[in-house]
Amino acid sequence: MALSSPVPAAERLPVTVLTGYLGAGKTTLLNRILTHEHGLKVAVIVNEFGEVGIDNQLVVDADEEIFEMNNGCICCTVRGDLIRIIGNLMKRRDRFDHLVIETTGLADPAPVIQTFFVDEDLRDELRLDAVVTLVDLKHVEQHWDTEEVQEQLAFADVLVLNKSDLVSDAERDAIERRVRAINPVARLLTSRNADVPMQELLGVEAFELERALSLDPGFLVDEHAHEHDDAVGSVALVDERPMDLEKLGRWLSDLVAERGPDLFRMKGIIQLHGEARRYVFQSVHMLLDGDFDRPWKAAEPRRTELVIIGRDLDAEALRAGFLACVA
C-alpha cells in the first residue's frame, strides 16, 4: 500500500504530529506554536489519556481551533474519532493553514501516522509534514526502556532534545548518542522550555518523499550499524554498486511481510541499474512507497543509502538481503 496521494502536496493541508513521553514539554511547545507570530492559522487536536482531560485547560487562549479527544489514547481506541474530527475540521478548511495533533505521552505514534494513508479521503486532503518528538533530557533515561519512548524516537522526523539547561553537556552528549543510535536520520534540535524556531517545526516537509533523507553527504558511508543493547535500533546499509529494482522490491516486500510490526521506519535513496534518476523510498511498518526523484548530479557520488529503524534487527541478515539486490 502506497504512502503517497495523486493530489499535489501543495494542495493538501500540512499536518504535524507532536509526540513525546509524559512531561517532555509537548504542551509548552504547543503553546509556543499557538502564540508565535508565524503567520499561520493553526488548528489543533489535543489528546489526553483518561476521562478527564487537562491538556486543553493548559493551552493558552488563542484564536486557533482546538479540539480535545479525551475518551482514550489517540493511537488505539479513538482512531475513528480522529478521522471524524478531522473530517469536520476540513469542512472549515478556509479557516486554517496547518493542523497540529498532540498525542498523549503514552501513545505509539505509528497508528496516528498510518491514519493519514489508510483513509483515502484523508490521504487526498492532508499531507504529513513531520512527526516531531520531544525528548526530556533530564528524565528520559528513567524511561529509556519503555516501548513508548523508543517508538516515539524511532518514528520521529524531527527530534527536540528539551530541558537542555537541566543537564550537563556531557549528559546531553551521551543522550544524543543514544538517540542517534535509534534514529540517525531525524533532524536534531536542542531547546530550553521547548523554545525552538518555528521554521524548524512547521512546513519542513520532513516526511515528504522528495525530502525523505536529510543526510549529510557521506553520513552513512562508514556503515556504522549503531550496535547497542536497546531493543529498538537502526541499521545503515550502503553500497556503491547499482541495485536491481525488481530484486529490491521483492526483498523489501518479503521483509515487511515477515517483520512489518517490528519495522518502524525505513528511508533510502537508491541507485538503480541503468537509471539516471535517484529512487527515493520509505516505509511505515507495512506501508511502502517509492518514486523516482531528481537526476543524479554529475559531481555527487552515486550510491544506495538505506536506513532501517526497528526492533530486534538482525544487522547481518539485513545486510545479506540488501547485498543480494545488487544488479
Side-chain angles (χ1 to χ4, degrees), residues 71-247:
N71 60 335
C73 174
I74 203 172
C75 72
C76 44
T77 60
V78 295
R79 179 186 278 176
D81 284 352
L82 175 61
I83 293 174
R84 176 182 54 80
I85 289 175
I86 292 176
N88 289 334
L89 269 176
M90 296 307 291
K91 296 175 183 177
R92 290 172 283 173
R93 172 68 178 84
D94 59 330
R95 294 181 59 180
F96 50 91
D97 311 305
H98 201 105
L99 174 61
V100 176
I101 299 176
E102 179 199 356
T103 73
T104 169
L106 297 175
D108 170 5
V112 181
I113 297 169
Q114 291 172 314
T115 300
F116 298 102
F117 306 107
V118 298
D119 185 277
E120 187 172 339
D121 292 335
L122 292 187
R123 190 170 64 236
D124 292 341
E125 291 184 330
L126 309 171
R127 64 174 175 84
L128 188 54
D129 187 58
V131 178
V132 177
T133 297
L134 275 90
V135 179
D136 183 343
L137 285 171
K138 180 65 175 177
H139 302 106
V140 67
E141 292 193 321
Q142 299 174 24
H143 312 291
W144 193 267
D145 294 330
T146 63
E147 289 188 11
E148 292 86 359
V149 167
Q150 297 206 4
E151 290 173 357
Q152 289 164 2
L153 293 173
F155 281 105
D157 299 301
V158 179
L159 283 163
V160 180
L161 305 185
N162 193 31
K163 306 183 184 180
S164 61
D165 54 319
L166 301 182
V167 297
S168 67
D169 290 347
E171 289 172 321
R172 185 197 64 213
D173 291 344
I175 293 171
E176 182 175 329
R177 285 193 296 272
R178 295 190 72 179
V179 166
R180 276 290 182 223
I182 290 177
N183 190 332
V185 294
R187 303 179 188 182
L188 201 62
L189 307 174
T190 303
S191 69
R192 300 182 179 187
N193 299 316
D195 189 3
V196 294
M198 288 298 116
Q199 66 269 21
E200 300 286 349
L201 294 181
L202 304 180
V204 295
E205 299 182 7
F207 198 89
E208 292 295 300
L209 271 178
E210 291 82 356
R211 302 188 184 185
L213 284 178
S214 55
L215 302 178
D216 295 329
F219 178 75
L220 297 178
V221 173
D222 294 335
E223 291 205 35
H224 44 290
H226 304 287
E227 303 292 348
H228 56 93
D229 296 330
D230 298 310
V232 177
S234 61
V235 174
L237 302 169
V238 182
D239 201 272
E240 305 285 341
R241 295 168 292 179
M243 311 297 285
D244 183 286
L245 182 57
E246 184 176 339
K247 292 180 181 178

